[in-house]
Amino acid sequence: MVPLKPLTVRFIDNTEVELISHGTNGKKISIIPLSQRSRDKRKVSRQSCAGDALELSPVQEEAEEENKDVIFKPTELLEEREGMVKNPIAFGFNTPKKRWSMLEKAGSARKTPTASPSTPTTPRLPHLLPGTPRTPASPSTPKTPRSASRTPKSKRRLSGASEAPTPYSFRKRVQERITKIVLDEDSSSSSSEEDDDDDSSSYSDSDSEEDESKENLFNSRDVSVVTPSKTPRRTPSKVAKTVLGTPGRTPSRTPGKRGRQKKIKDVEMVAKGDDYFMANGNSKAPTSDHTLNRLETPRLSPEALQSILSSMANTHLKEREALIEENVLNFPRWMTYLCEGFSIFLYGLGSKKQLLSKFQQEYLSDYDHIVINGFFPSLTLKNILNNIIEDILEHTGGLHGGQDQLDLIEATYTRPDTAPLFIIIHNLDGAMLRGEKTQAAIARLASLPRVHVLASLDHINAPLILDSHKMSQYNIVWFDATTLERYQEETSYENSLLVQQSGSLALSSLIHVFKSLTPNAKGIFMLLAKHQLEQKDNSSYTGLSFSDMYQRCRESFLVNSDLTLRAQLTEFRDHKLLRSRKGHDGVENLIIPLPPATLQDFVTQQELENE
Amino acid sequence: MAATVSVSKGVFAFKRSKGKTQNDATTLSALDFWGQDEEADIKKVTHKNYVHCWKSITQTLNNLQDKIHAKVFEELVAFVKSAGENMRRKDYGETNDIPTACLVTGVNMPDHNSIFESLVRLLTEGATPHIARLRSRDCTTLRGAVYKMITQLMDQGEVVDPEMYEEVATTGPELKRAQCTMPVLTAWYKELSSSSAEKSSPTKSGSCGQMTARTPKKALASPCKALGSPKKNIAYPMSERAGSSHSGKSPRKRMKLSEKPCFNKYHTLPLVVILEDVESFPSNVLNDLILICSNHIQNLPIVLVFGVATTTAAVHRSLAQDASACVAMEVFQAQPSTHYLNHVIEQVLMSDKVPFHIGGRPFKLLLDIFLYSDLSVEKFVKGLKVCMMEHFLGNSSSFLCCSASKRASLIKAMTPAQLDIIRKLPSFRTYVEKCPPKEQAALLLDEKVSKETIVTLLSQLESWYIRFCCLVKVVQVLTSTLPLCPLGRQVREVLATCLSQPLVDTEEFQKAAKLIKLMSREEMLPILRNILEILQDKLSNDEEMSDMHNELSLLVGRLSSLDQLDQVIEEPNRDEEPTVSLQASDRFVLKEKLQELAKKKSRKTNMYDSLRCDVVELLVKTFEQHLQPPSSQPLHEIMFLESSSSVKRLLVGVPRPALTTALSNPHHYLQCDCCQLQDPSSILTTLPDISVAYKLHLECGRLVNLYDWMQAFISVIDDEDEDSAKKTVDQQLQARFVQAVSELQFLGFIKPTKRKTDHVARLTWGGC
């Protein structure tokens, strides 16, 4: 054996000994003596001081910062405080939905204080619905086949009650619990005790019932509840009755309900990244195949919609007024900030048009101002600039395009003696203002010292149009102007699936133009219209080619030369009755830009007149 | 006022009524809208205070702006000058390289405008009046870029040279777009140089007489005549570029070269073209612009300045090889914006020139926005402005927040009502409560006494703040070099901590104090000397601090004189050092032995240790006494803005959370009795329609069936639909549903889809 050399230990510094003995900061001490390390560091800092040409006290260089530094956390910025809007609910993953969850949810609304508790359905649904956790539907869960003979109503209620597939783990837990109950209790005295049990447990009673029904569980006393799913044709009222029939269930329900909901909510708050993939991985959307055609009036006409809505009073009138009032109190502050060179951005749910108009009337009548409806579907930047130049500045003169106009406006509104201009923009995030160029131009306008911008934002992704440069040009001050008003005007330009896309406007204009045409021209147009109607079921129809058209027109003695046809077509085109497109083969295809229904109306009307 | 609803128009202009005088409308002052329900005189005073504060801040900032980049700007100006001189030399002739300065400005885009403004100012003063600033937004086409460049270059000349201006004025003040070509610029430049030569040396005028004989009008007009359409103008330099790059010497070029001596002799100053944001220029425009410039470099001493936000590699990426071959680039690094911010904090926030001070939370908020959002100093200053406005608008006691000289008269003229405002301040109340009972009555009732107290308290507050800032710097110097930097490296971090809580009580400071106690002498001495300097600078006329200063300097003196003494003590120490022999038997045994040894090694408190302890004690004592947050001081409400919530609401918009909150819990805004939700995910029938529709759609996956949605919606909204057949839906209910859905579409939660009939697609995930 080679004798080992005795270890020699030498202490470098008192302080280090202390450190080692304390054992707290030991790992941070390296072999280099403290003094040396510090000397290196000091060298750097001294250099930085020397490099400073200013007579300021030494400012440390950023470059010096090392990774191991304590990170300066944005506590103030990210802090949540009472009374302020909370962030986390806006973002995050949600678990995928079951097929009927929406109806269940709707059912859950039934437990409102306004609804009378004696309504047979009320006690049933609330227990059933909020308790069901939103977890992925396991594909293996057998779904009861829906029969077409059922009335929609019963289907709705029933499906809400019985068809919701429940995840396996949940089922298992419930099953276990029930097994336990069965083992512990006598089946005769079960119901009231189970209630007590429920109050302390986190699962809703009705859920367990439902699961029992699903799993065909062994407890015989639950037969009455099991029935609904076993006999799907039963009407919902009967279901409700059977539920009610269970003794001692409803009265003791309320105290336990609250605690249960809270617990379930806690479960929901755990957002897992996997859920996103669960939701998106399943390519088949579990939605029903119902269409709106099941309704008697599948689509309302826009006029009807508007008239109904305007005749209908909105709820919470007083509260809405109070909200607006609150904002009106802020008007002087808005003005102050505008005067100091800030732009005011309003956000929050509800149309802010009324509010802004009020501001406009009360404060801006003495100043030049323009109002821009950002939601207007054919708004262009040129419109805005033209309005400023022609109507406000009253400048007439040839200007080359937007850049020159902007330059002129910039030159005018940087002069301190110019009258200030206020720009009110309803929906800065409107479809036509979202473009990068438009935004850049508006931001440039907003940065001018004599131009003041007041804008509202509604889209959830509206902040995406702002980058840091634009933000600083706008110089934004935000105000929460939630009004909860209807977006009636803003949405009136929207193409909703639910609104009948009537071509009434197009049809009337078509008729007007058509009346002024020569018989031959009418013939040409009718020919094209009829051809298009014949082809209306052909989805790949691109239009009638010019040569075909010419051939047909010649055959019906409508034109005698290529040129006359072209002249006629030009007239149609000018009135926007016709659109021509180059096809794949380079042939010019002619098409009437109207929906088939409108065209059909038109053709039948014309034929009637001719007869 | 006309309605702003139309199916054919999206923009409505309203000109102010003509009845108003011009004067009335042009003067728009914040004073008219300042404050809401305060007395008029307070309103006026607070506004005046605000204006005054803001003015002094902007002044400081303006001074700072030039200083901050002084070094790099100096270099840049020198570079431009020398480049101009280089080009004047004859041997420069053969190369086509454009001298280029590449100014790396950093990613804080909003600040760049002011950077370039001061650069232009410095260049005009120091190097040349001929400067063109090009921004990418003006330069989407080559034509636009050349037009901008040439008009700006020639405009500058006009302004500088009034004689020229008059002559040019005869041709019309504005150049036509088609006239802006490089030949025009060349002609103009020759004209300029020869005329200046004429001025400077009239004897030589004969030699270039033919040149000056040409009137500017001719010079301007002739190239245009030669070149017809504007399109050709563009094409012309391009073709020339092509020619020259291949053969090198086209006949035209040779002709130019022959003219060169004249040019060289009577050269004036270089033409500087600043491209502010090179990265966002279209690369073809940039390439062509560089090639054109390089072709005219023989006649026009062009110097390019590139403003680059990221790295110089970005320039090379966007340039083609032939263009980047023409650019002789030199890189200048501007100061990072954090550096600038540090100066702003020191000169604006920590100065006694501005009576308004910012409290801990708003300061932290501004810092957070700066560090985590955009690193823009300009935005920081804007945030500071908002803070000031909030302070002066929201706090009526702020009418006393002005410079000390004005304050005396203000306090004298205070009305009883105004005095009551001050008396009602919570910090004044606590101050009164601390006073002996006799004084209490006087303070609250006697006008004179309270006014006097207010005066003294305010001046105390001011001197306290000076002390406070100075000590913050001391703390920073003391702790910034500690390992792990428990209090942060920068003054701003220390300041944020000190402003919000008593420093000595913080965990970070405890940690730092522990580490200071371990400092070696070599480390400690320079730091302490630094501290002494700071104290000397700032607190020479503060009695309270001068004691501390004296004491500290005494200790430092002893520390430094310890030198010889220490050696003596240390020597024997070394000898004594135990050389422990250990058998390598067991780790645990070794550990125990070491620990034992460590214990045995008695803390021989040598001189240094005790002195160090004294120093730390002294410092901690001082910090404890003076580094309390401002809220501990009486009358701090007048000068300090402590609450950050109002400022945060203004500066940090939360559009989306506000929307989702309003949708999922309308009660938050409505404050009605009927819509109180126990659980945010539950539904009540009384909720607004859109909220009901929103909550229902949350239950769906990616696609939402409209029919089912409507049924669910109606069953929520409609109470008594139990028996009605489902095929006939009440038109009103349907209309409400349609409206709610289209509102959701408008807000961006759903969009129509064609994947399944009568379905809409959800665009969001989550929510409750």
Side-chain angles (χ1 to χ4, degrees):
Chain A
M1 283 276 288
V2 184
L4 283 167
K5 253 190 185 173
L7 276 171
T8 54
V9 178
R10 197 176 144 269
F11 294 105
I12 298 157
D13 194 330
N14 268 342
T15 55
E16 288 210 10
V17 177
E18 192 181 47
L19 268 182
I20 293 166
S21 64
H22 282 288
T24 46
N25 295 340
K27 61 174 180 181
K28 284 153 204 163
I29 299 293
S30 57
I31 313 145
I32 316 160
L34 269 175
S35 50
Q36 275 180 30
R37 286 195 296 147
S38 69
R39 215 171 280 143
D40 291 344
K41 227 171 234 175
R42 233 177 300 133
K43 238 179 254 163
V44 179
S45 66
R46 235 182 256 138
Q47 273 172 358
S48 77
C49 295
D52 241 334
L54 310 166
E55 323 86 35
L56 301 163
S57 63
V59 176
Q60 298 288 323
E61 291 291 334
E62 282 301 288
E64 220 185 300
E65 269 179 33
E66 288 160 42
N67 290 337
K68 61 173 186 173
D69 277 359
V70 179
I71 296 161
F72 187 73
K73 291 190 191 76
T75 49
E76 189 68 30
L77 188 63
L78 300 182
E79 185 201 33
E80 300 286 346
R81 224 175 292 166
E82 277 304 303
M84 287 185 114
V85 172
K86 301 271 191 296
N87 273 311
I89 51 161
F91 309 100
F93 297 126
N94 206 358
T95 45
K97 304 300 176 188
K98 303 181 298 282
R99 184 169 263 206
W100 301 108
S101 55
M102 190 154 73
L103 294 170
E104 287 172 23
K105 187 88 183 176
S108 77
R110 291 287 163 157
K111 61 161 180 208
T112 53
T114 52
S116 70
S118 62
T119 319
T121 45
T122 26
R124 167 82 182 125
L125 288 164
H127 309 319
L128 166 69
L129 301 159
T132 327
R134 302 187 204 145
T135 22
S138 49
S140 62
T141 318
K143 279 174 193 147
T144 336
R146 278 175 290 117
S147 61
S149 63
R150 275 186 296 183
T151 62
K153 168 157 179 138
S154 70
K155 181 190 285 175
R156 183 158 65 88
R157 294 271 180 250
L158 266 179
S159 51
S162 65
E163 286 197 7
T166 331
Y168 173 67
S169 61
F170 181 71
R171 262 184 285 142
K172 200 173 174 191
R173 264 180 302 176
V174 175
Q175 199 177 329
E176 273 166 14
R177 192 167 61 83
I178 291 165
T179 324
K180 205 181 130 216
I181 293 167
V182 172
L183 289 177
D184 287 355
E185 310 284 335
D186 239 350
S187 59
S188 56
S189 65
S190 59
S191 56
S192 62
E193 271 149 310
E194 201 193 300
D195 259 353
D196 298 335
D197 199 64
D198 276 347
D199 289 347
S200 60
S201 88
S202 62
Y203 308 112
S204 80
D205 185 19
S206 48
D207 262 304
S208 68
E209 287 165 10
E210 185 193 333
D211 276 278
E212 284 160 348
S213 66
K214 276 267 159 206
E215 300 284 301
N216 284 326
L217 278 175
F218 17 81
N219 200 343
S220 61
R221 87 195 133 83
D222 274 315
V223 165
S224 61
V225 191
V226 174
T227 37
S229 67
K230 275 187 179 164
T231 56
R233 267 156 224 263
R234 225 187 251 204
T235 56
S237 57
K238 273 183 194 164
V239 175
K241 266 173 207 155
T242 49
V243 176
L244 257 190
T246 325
R249 189 129 299 180
T250 30
S252 63
R253 178 82 14 242
T254 28
K257 207 193 289 170
R258 210 167 290 154
R260 193 167 59 229
Q261 277 181 349
K262 261 187 191 152
K263 269 184 189 163
I264 283 160
K265 191 191 148 208
D266 285 349
V267 172
E268 276 176 358
M269 294 310 273
V270 182
K272 287 181 205 129
D274 289 348
D275 293 346
Y276 175 80
F277 299 101
M278 296 281 271
N280 279 342
N282 181 9
S283 63
K284 240 190 153 183
T287 53
S288 73
D289 297 330
H290 297 158
T291 59
L292 288 174
N293 291 333
R294 296 167 75 99
L295 295 169
E296 204 173 63
T297 48
R299 285 168 178 83
L300 294 169
S301 70
E303 291 81 23
L305 180 70
Q306 290 298 330
S307 67
I308 290 171
L309 283 178
S310 45
S311 70
M312 212 162 34
N314 215 335
T315 53
H316 296 101
L317 271 181
K318 235 198 242 162
E319 285 85 2
R320 279 170 216 258
E321 262 168 36
L323 274 174
I324 294 207
E325 199 50 45
E326 227 171 88
N327 283 307
V328 169
L329 285 181
N330 264 334
F331 281 175
R333 250 176 108 208
W334 291 8
M335 245 352 227
T336 315
Y337 278 105
L338 286 174
C339 293
E340 287 296 323
F342 292 94
S343 298
I344 288 182
F345 277 25
L346 305 175
Y347 61 86
L349 181 66
S351 169
K352 291 165 275 292
K353 187 144 198 285
Q354 204 192 335
L355 189 69
L356 281 171
S357 306
K358 205 166 180 174
F359 179 75
Q360 179 201 354
Q361 277 161 22
E362 284 182 22
Y363 284 86
L364 300 184
S365 49
D366 292 345
Y367 302 104
D368 291 340
H369 60 276
I370 65 170
V371 178
I372 300 168
N373 288 344
F375 49 83
F376 186 69
S378 51
L379 181 72
T380 56
L381 178 62
K382 204 167 169 350
N383 282 342
I384 299 171
L385 297 179
N386 279 344
N387 260 285
I388 296 175
I389 285 181
E390 284 164 18
D391 294 350
I392 302 288
L393 297 180
E394 286 166 357
H395 178 97
T396 47
L399 281 168
H400 285 272
Q403 204 60 48
D404 278 3
Q405 287 181 322
L406 267 178
D407 286 344
L408 176 75
I409 293 171
E410 182 164 358
T412 315
Y413 283 103
T414 37
R415 283 205 304 270
D417 58 333
T418 321
L421 171 71
F422 289 82
I423 302 179
I424 293 183
I425 306 173
H426 300 294
N427 284 104
L428 184 67
D429 52 351
M432 294 309 289
L433 296 180
R434 277 176 210 166
E436 161 65 27
K437 269 191 186 160
T438 321
Q439 278 299 321
I442 296 176
R444 201 173 146 199
L445 285 182
S447 67
L448 302 179
R450 304 293 283 176
V451 174
H452 311 281
V453 171
L454 204 78
S456 68
L457 296 161
D458 285 301
H459 198 276
I460 46 170
N461 295 327
L464 295 182
I465 55 174
L466 302 167
D467 57 24
S468 82
H469 190 58
K470 286 196 197 82
M471 286 274 272
S472 81
Q473 279 186 310
Y474 277 124
N475 202 3
I476 302 169
V477 165
W478 298 87
F479 281 93
D480 186 344
T482 302
T483 61
L484 289 154
E485 293 288 332
R486 282 197 196 116
Y487 290 102
Q488 209 157 322
E489 197 183 320
E490 286 92 331
T491 52
S492 63
Y493 299 102
E494 212 170 70
N495 295 328
S496 172
L497 273 177
L498 293 158
V499 180
Q500 202 176 20
Q501 295 303 318
S502 74
S504 60
L505 196 70
L507 188 62
S508 67
S509 63
L510 178 60
I511 290 168
H512 277 294
V513 176
F514 196 76
K515 273 182 186 158
S516 64
L517 292 178
T518 59
N520 270 3
K522 280 182 184 169
I524 295 169
F525 191 77
M526 287 303 277
L527 197 140
L528 186 60
K530 278 176 187 160
H531 181 258
Q532 192 163 329
L533 280 176
E534 279 162 23
Q535 298 286 333
K536 72 177 172 186
D537 295 328
N538 179 4
S539 61
S540 60
Y541 174 70
T542 53
L544 185 62
S545 72
F546 182 80
S547 52
D548 274 2
M549 181 80 189
Y550 178 56
Q551 203 57 44
R552 281 163 199 242
C553 289
R554 265 189 85 100
E555 280 162 11
S556 9
F557 302 114
L558 291 169
V559 290
N560 54 4
S561 79
D562 187 310
L563 271 179
T564 29
L565 179 59
R566 278 199 191 280
Q568 294 291 358
L569 292 183
T570 313
E571 188 166 351
F572 294 152
R573 219 172 274 143
D574 288 347
H575 287 104
K576 302 220 161 69
L577 298 180
L578 190 80
R579 203 185 289 155
S580 61
R581 229 183 254 151
K582 278 261 158 64
H584 301 297
D585 44 0
V587 182
E588 195 180 5
N589 288 321
L590 306 169
I591 200 161
I592 300 170
L594 282 176
T598 315
L599 202 58
Q600 185 67 58
D601 280 356
F602 169 74
V603 171
T604 44
Q605 204 176 328
Q606 289 308 314
E607 276 167 356
L608 276 176
E609 271 179 26
N610 286 346
E611 275 165 14
Chain B
M1 196 159 289
T4 53
V5 183
S6 162
V7 285
S8 57
K9 233 170 110 178
V11 188
F12 306 86
F14 299 91
K15 199 145 171 64
R16 65 174 183 277
S17 39
K18 293 277 181 205
K20 296 268 169 188
T21 56
Q22 181 76 12
N23 213 15
D24 227 23
T26 46
T27 50
L28 175 67
S29 158
L31 177 61
D32 304 340
F33 313 101
W34 192 266
Q36 282 159 34
D37 39 23
E38 290 159 23
E39 297 171 51
D41 45 346
I42 286 192
K43 221 163 95 174
K44 243 182 225 166
V45 175
T46 48
H47 183 250
K48 217 166 108 191
N49 285 345
Y50 160 72
V51 170
H52 175 78
C53 278
W54 181 239
K55 221 183 195 173
S56 71
I57 286 182
T58 36
Q59 265 171 8
T60 324
L61 286 175
N62 282 343
N63 292 340
L64 209 55
Q65 174 72 46
D66 285 350
K67 265 200 237 166
I68 207 80
H69 297 293
K71 211 176 140 209
V72 68
F73 282 170
E74 247 169 55
E75 286 169 14
L76 231 164
V77 171
F79 169 79
V80 169
K81 260 189 190 163
S82 70
E85 274 159 25
N86 278 345
M87 277 187 274
R88 202 177 304 173
R89 287 209 313 270
K90 207 171 180 179
D91 56 333
Y92 194 76
E94 290 313 310
T95 58
N96 277 344
D97 290 356
I98 315 168
T100 304
C102 190
L103 181 63
V104 182
T105 45
V107 290
N108 49 328
M109 296 296 287
D111 298 348
H112 290 178
N113 196 31
S114 51
I115 291 181
F116 284 110
E117 259 167 29
S118 50
L119 174 63
V120 167
R121 203 168 48 239
L122 285 175
L123 278 176
T124 359
E125 282 165 14
T128 169
H130 314 298
I131 299 167
R133 282 175 74 179
L134 299 183
R135 296 184 192 89
S136 60
R137 62 157 199 253
D138 304 326
C139 303
T140 44
T141 59
L142 179 65
R143 190 174 164 195
V146 171
Y147 170 70
K148 275 269 165 198
M149 181 176 89
I150 291 176
T151 42
Q152 285 189 60
L153 285 174
M154 293 175 68
D155 270 355
Q156 293 287 350
E158 284 163 23
V159 172
V160 167
D161 193 345
E163 270 178 52
M164 273 297 282
Y165 182 74
E166 264 173 42
E167 283 175 296
V168 173
T170 57
T171 64
E174 269 179 51
L175 283 168
K176 274 186 198 138
R177 206 165 244 271
Q179 279 181 319
C180 284
T181 57
M182 291 308 273
V184 174
L185 186 68
T186 318
W188 166 82
Y189 189 76
K190 259 181 210 158
E191 201 61 45
L192 193 69
S193 52
S194 52
S195 66
S196 73
E198 213 176 328
K199 248 184 275 166
S200 58
S201 53
T203 48
K204 280 183 184 172
S205 64
S207 64
C208 51
Q210 322 130 277
M211 291 285 302
T212 43
R214 266 208 251 163
T215 65
K217 187 169 184 173
K218 256 190 202 163
L220 289 175
S222 56
C224 303
K225 265 181 217 155
L227 305 159
S229 71
K231 236 182 192 168
K232 265 186 202 160
N233 291 350
I234 301 296
Y236 157 66
M238 304 264 279
S239 63
E240 195 200 41
R241 180 241 313 175
S244 64
S245 60
H246 292 309
S247 61
K249 291 210 171 159
S250 63
R252 197 191 161 83
K253 188 131 207 173
R254 225 171 284 139
M255 193 185 77
K256 267 187 193 160
L257 284 173
S258 65
E259 281 174 7
K260 241 181 82 191
C262 181
F263 158 68
N264 274 341
K265 230 188 250 170
Y266 306 112
H267 170 81
T268 49
L269 296 158
L271 306 173
V272 179
V273 180
I274 303 176
L275 309 174
E276 287 189 16
D277 41 355
V278 171
E279 284 109 323
S280 36
F281 270 74
S283 67
N284 58 332
V285 172
L286 193 61
N287 276 322
D288 292 345
L289 194 67
I290 288 173
L291 289 171
I292 290 171
C293 288
S294 103
N295 269 303
H296 290 84
I297 199 79
Q298 307 296 346
N299 300 324
L300 296 168
I302 293 174
V303 179
L304 293 176
V305 177
F306 288 168
V308 182
T310 51
T311 58
T312 45
V315 179
H316 292 296
R317 254 201 308 278
S318 59
L319 286 184
Q321 196 270 330
D322 54 345
S324 68
C326 298
V327 175
M329 209 152 69
E330 196 165 312
V331 180
F332 296 87
Q333 184 82 41
Q335 291 284 2
S337 61
T338 41
H339 176 86
Y340 184 17
L341 178 77
N342 289 341
H343 286 302
V344 170
I345 287 171
E346 279 190 28
Q347 304 229 322
V348 176
L349 296 185
M350 295 172 75
S351 88
D352 49 337
K353 277 180 223 148
V354 187
F356 164 78
H357 303 302
I358 194 166
R361 302 191 69 161
F363 177 61
K364 186 79 173 41
L365 175 71
L366 293 186
L367 266 189
D368 287 348
I369 294 175
F370 175 84
L371 290 173
Y372 289 90
S373 169
D374 51 7
L375 294 171
S376 153
V377 176
E378 193 172 299
K379 202 147 169 242
F380 182 88
V381 173
K382 294 259 167 73
L384 189 64
K385 189 175 176 183
V386 171
C387 286
M388 269 172 59
M389 288 178 74
E390 278 302 300
H391 179 68
F392 284 107
L393 271 174
N395 187 354
S396 50
S397 67
S398 62
F399 71 93
L400 286 183
C401 181
C402 54
S403 57
S405 53
K406 276 186 204 163
R407 197 185 298 132
S409 61
L410 264 178
I411 291 178
K412 219 181 250 173
M414 227 171 10
T415 63
Q418 290 171 347
L419 195 60
D420 270 348
I421 296 176
I422 306 292
R423 277 179 184 153
K424 274 179 192 156
L425 291 177
S427 68
F428 188 72
R429 289 188 166 195
T430 48
Y431 171 76
V432 170
E433 275 158 24
K434 272 182 205 158
C435 288
K438 241 191 211 169
E439 286 171 40
Q440 278 186 13
L443 274 175
L444 291 177
L445 298 172
D446 192 345
E447 202 169 292
K448 207 176 154 201
V449 173
S450 32
K451 276 186 182 176
E452 272 167 18
T453 332
I454 290 170
V455 172
T456 49
L457 280 179
L458 283 177
S459 60
Q460 269 174 23
L461 186 65
E462 266 182 357
S463 53
W464 168 81
Y465 190 67
I466 298 171
R467 222 177 296 143
F468 177 88
C469 290
C470 172
L471 284 176
V472 164
K473 275 177 211 162
V474 168
V475 174
Q476 192 261 335
V477 170
L478 192 64
T479 58
S480 62
T481 51
L482 290 176
L484 277 178
C485 297
L487 281 168
R489 251 171 223 287
Q490 312 285 330
V491 179
R492 55 169 189 255
E493 289 155 343
V494 182
L495 183 65
T497 320
C498 292
L499 277 175
S500 47
Q501 50 196 328
L503 177 76
V504 180
D505 299 349
T506 59
E507 220 175 278
E508 292 86 3
F509 183 77
Q510 312 278 355
K511 232 186 258 170
K514 224 181 235 169
L515 288 169
I516 293 168
K517 281 182 190 157
L518 302 177
M519 253 187 200
S520 70
R521 203 167 59 91
E522 299 86 61
E523 217 172 1
M524 194 123 173
L525 265 179
I527 290 177
L528 290 179
R529 288 205 184 100
N530 259 345
I531 290 174
L532 279 180
E533 257 171 51
I534 292 171
L535 290 173
Q536 189 74 44
D537 272 2
K538 301 275 170 178
L539 303 172
S540 43
N541 46 8
D542 192 336
E543 295 129 35
E544 280 187 60
M545 297 306 291
S546 57
D547 290 347
M548 185 243 174
H549 178 246
N550 290 341
E551 219 169 303
L552 189 66
S553 53
L554 206 76
L555 283 172
V556 171
R558 280 170 68 192
L559 268 178
S560 45
S561 65
L562 211 61
D563 250 347
Q564 285 79 31
L565 209 69
D566 230 28
Q567 293 293 328
V568 179
I569 296 171
E570 256 176 52
E571 277 310 309
N573 249 3
R574 283 262 161 84
D575 298 337
E576 267 176 46
E577 218 145 81
T579 321
V580 195
S581 56
L582 294 167
Q583 260 69 39
S585 53
D586 191 354
R587 266 199 304 171
F588 294 103
V589 177
L590 174 67
K591 191 180 162 194
E592 260 168 43
K593 260 192 185 166
L594 279 174
Q595 275 175 350
E596 223 170 89
L597 262 173
K599 264 179 215 156
K600 236 189 270 169
K601 174 119 180 157
S602 60
R603 344 249 59 200
K604 250 185 244 152
T605 44
N606 56 15
M607 277 293 278
Y608 172 66
D609 279 344
S610 63
L611 271 178
R612 187 172 55 189
C613 256
D614 287 350
V615 169
V616 171
E617 242 168 59
L618 174 70
L619 287 174
V620 169
K621 205 182 80 195
T622 326
F623 294 155
E624 199 165 13
Q625 195 186 344
H626 297 290
L627 281 184
Q628 297 291 329
S631 52
S632 64
Q633 302 296 316
L635 292 186
H636 68 92
E637 287 97 337
I638 294 177
M639 310 256 198
F640 287 85
L641 176 74
E642 282 292 339
S643 130
S644 68
S645 59
S646 63
V647 180
K648 188 178 172 184
R649 233 173 269 145
L650 292 173
L651 286 179
V652 186
V654 281
R656 189 160 172 184
L659 263 184
T660 36
T661 309
L663 284 171
S664 63
N665 183 18
H667 177 73
H668 183 90
Y669 287 101
L670 286 173
Q671 302 290 332
C672 57
D673 304 326
C674 49
C675 298
Q676 243 164 334
L677 299 175
Q678 283 154 2
D679 173 10
S681 61
S682 57
I683 288 190
L684 295 177
T685 59
T686 53
L687 293 178
D689 294 347
I690 185 172
S691 176
V692 172
Y694 168 78
K695 279 167 180 261
L696 289 173
H697 107 289
L698 286 180
E699 298 296 318
C700 294
R702 272 177 301 167
L703 293 181
V704 186
N705 184 313
L706 277 174
Y707 176 80
D708 291 347
W709 195 4
M710 190 191 290
Q711 292 301 344
F713 179 82
I714 287 167
S715 78
V716 171
I717 294 294
D718 194 12
D719 290 334
E720 63 274 358
D721 76 321
E722 289 305 318
D723 306 312
S724 60
K726 274 299 139 220
K727 285 238 170 188
T728 56
V729 171
D730 183 15
Q731 292 252 314
Q732 264 197 8
L733 293 176
Q734 191 176 349
R736 280 165 74 179
F737 175 68
V738 168
Q739 182 61 23
V741 169
S742 47
E743 279 173 15
L744 282 179
Q745 186 182 336
F746 178 70
L747 294 176
F749 283 102
I750 53 167
K751 67 168 188 191
T753 177
K754 287 197 170 148
R755 287 173 58 189
K756 213 169 168 186
T757 5
D758 288 340
H759 275 64
V760 288
R762 264 189 81 180
L763 298 174
T764 54
W765 285 102
C768 56

